[in-house]
Amino acid sequence: MARTPSNMLPLGTKAPDFELLDTVSDQKLSLNQLKGEKGTVVMFICNHCPFVIHVNPEISKLGREYQSKGINFVAISSNDVENYPQDAPHLMKEKAQEMDYTFPYLYDETQEVAKAYDAACTPDFYLFDGNLKLVYRGQLDDSRPGNGLPLTGSDLRNAMDALLEGSAISADQKPSIGCNIKWIET
């Protein structure tokens, strides 16, 4: 399995707007509809990546825990479904239901949203404040498939807690590591 790091979009970047198909509700949803009062986590994931499969239980748990605190979650898959059919929208819906996602799982068919966020891997995590300014980007925690470290969500969790408390979020942030986004070949 390839180990691609995230590109680490500059802190303070305004969240690029989007309107994408939610594979669960079958409706187009925009960032403005989905943003949280206190913050918004945008994550690029997919169905087949072993790194995403590894973190799925924790992202589902974090969504349930933090949405009630005013931080909304949005998952986006931007993979090329022609060459990676396991990431097709109907299977995304199945995965969202299987993992009990309490947040939308959006399909970025044109890959324009992934490009706007400079996303590189799955999973790739971004935390924006209530004004949609980037305050954290990088890894969920140090756990990876097979490394024996417990899945805690500590890096993202600490950033969300600091955001909620109004505390400074350290700019020393580790990139996420995962499978590269499966870009459509042109």
Side-chain angles (χ1 to χ4, degrees):
M1 111 189 105
R3 297 172 61 88
T4 300
S6 47
N7 287 328
M8 305 300 276
L9 194 64
L11 293 173
T13 298
K14 176 112 168 109
D17 200 10
F18 57 76
E19 183 177 77
L20 296 171
L21 175 70
D22 174 23
T23 60
V24 177
S25 69
D26 206 31
Q27 295 184 23
K28 289 237 177 171
L29 298 174
S30 70
L31 176 60
N32 279 338
Q33 290 172 287
L34 298 171
K35 69 180 182 177
E37 180 186 337
K38 297 181 179 169
T40 306
V41 172
V42 175
M43 56 191 148
F44 289 84
I45 65 172
C46 70
N47 286 357
H48 83 275
C49 170
F51 293 91
V52 175
I53 291 167
H54 178 72
V55 300
N56 256 329
E58 189 64 21
I59 63 175
S60 187
K61 178 181 173 183
L62 288 173
R64 284 191 302 278
E65 185 177 339
Y66 282 87
Q67 284 171 308
S68 63
K69 298 176 182 182
I71 296 179
N72 282 355
F73 282 61
V74 180
I76 300 172
S77 179
S78 301
N79 277 356
D80 169 10
V81 298
E82 187 173 318
N83 290 306
Y84 297 86
Q86 61 271 52
D87 292 329
H90 70 285
L91 297 175
M92 291 169 58
K93 179 177 183 170
E94 287 178 15
K95 179 60 75 175
Q97 292 168 337
E98 172 193 335
M99 295 310 305
D100 195 27
Y101 290 166
T102 57
F103 44 81
Y105 191 9
L106 310 178
Y107 176 47
D108 178 20
E109 182 176 12
T110 66
Q111 301 185 321
E112 291 304 314
V113 176
K115 290 173 186 170
Y117 279 76
D118 201 19
C121 61
T122 56
D124 216 344
F125 297 95
Y126 303 82
L127 173 62
F128 297 90
D129 66 15
N131 297 315
L132 293 175
K133 296 287 186 194
L134 186 65
V135 295
Y136 177 83
R137 75 288 192 246
Q139 69 176 10
L140 183 69
D141 60 29
D142 288 320
S143 183
R144 304 286 185 269
N147 76 357
L149 296 175
L151 191 59
T152 63
S154 60
D155 290 51
L156 181 58
R157 182 182 296 276
N158 290 341
M160 290 188 295
D161 287 344
L163 178 62
L164 290 170
E165 295 163 4
S167 304
I169 299 171
S170 172
D172 183 22
Q173 300 171 6
K174 295 179 186 174
S176 188
I177 300 285
C179 300
N180 64 302
I181 289 180
K182 307 309 182 206
W183 301 106
I184 297 169
E185 295 181 25
T186 54

